[in-house]
Amino acid sequence: MTTQQQPRPYVPSKTLDTPYPLIDNDPHLRRVIRYARPSDYLAGAALGASGPGLMLLWERVAPSHVGKGGFPPIMRLAGALGLVGGFLYCCERSTMRFYGFRENKREMEMDMREMVDKVKKGEPLYGKSSLSPHMQGVASRNSRYSGVWLHVLPWFNLVNHEQHGVDTAKYYQQAERELEAERTKS
């Protein structure tokens, strides 16, 4: 007796009503870091430096009197926590632009340029994946809009997949327009 597996229905992701256009509802961590603005890095660095800075301030205001070997481990811990917190804050600010929660004109232009270049080269838009389509869908559903809760549970998309909540036809149409413009120039 053979059983045939029914094809699994594709359920599109929910689109939120945001003040700016959605770029990607599940951006890969590499894209989040690559698209981060200098102001994101600066804000992350400021937040990261605030931990050790506050420890130094508190030590001056109310000395702990822990002795010579007590303060450096606390400063290392404050530095490590500041580094992680600054990185997460930088990623969260960048991710909010992908979701359309913050102004994202620069990221829209970068996204269009990157995707149109990939279309022209014949590459997959969101990279190649060694996972099956089912597992790519599972990974997508687990990390979609995870940046909203990044401050609670750091969860990043580390999988290349095709489920990003946007109509990719715009990239192909723009690539066609650019290729047609290049043909008419020559």
Side-chain angles (χ1 to χ4, degrees), residues 17-140:
D17 184 27
T18 59
Y20 301 98
L22 173 72
I23 298 173
D24 191 339
N25 66 10
D26 192 19
H28 197 282
L29 179 60
R30 283 188 305 247
R31 285 186 81 197
V32 169
I33 293 170
R34 205 170 58 238
Y35 281 43
R37 295 180 179 185
S39 63
D40 297 337
Y41 289 116
L42 187 63
L47 182 75
S50 68
L54 285 173
M55 289 304 297
L56 283 171
L57 176 69
W58 287 328
E59 185 63 23
R60 292 215 185 255
V61 171
S64 61
H65 305 292
V66 293
K68 213 172 185 176
F71 195 63
I74 296 299
M75 285 301 289
R76 284 193 293 273
L77 177 62
L81 290 175
L83 186 68
V84 170
F87 173 74
L88 292 176
Y89 187 58
C90 175
C91 287
E92 185 170 22
R93 286 174 54 108
S94 179
T95 303
M96 292 302 125
R97 289 191 188 90
F98 277 98
Y99 297 160
F101 294 149
R102 298 183 66 163
E103 185 277 315
N104 61 4
K105 183 173 173 40
R106 173 185 167 266
E107 288 75 13
M108 294 271 307
E109 293 168 358
M110 290 175 68
D111 175 63
M112 184 60 77
R113 182 78 269 134
E114 177 186 5
M115 295 303 173
V116 168
D117 289 346
K118 284 185 177 187
V119 168
K120 287 180 177 179
K121 292 177 186 173
E123 298 174 357
L125 290 179
Y126 296 103
K128 296 179 183 176
S129 179
S130 60
L131 296 177
S132 69
H134 171 69
M135 290 308 295
Q136 289 177 33
V138 169
S140 170

Side-chain angles (χ1 to χ4, degrees), residues 167-183:
D167 183 13
T168 57
K170 62 184 177 185
Y171 304 126
Y172 293 95
Q173 292 165 353
Q174 181 64 25
E176 287 175 5
R177 285 192 287 271
E178 289 182 13
L179 288 172
E180 186 62 32
E182 289 171 9
R183 273 190 229 114

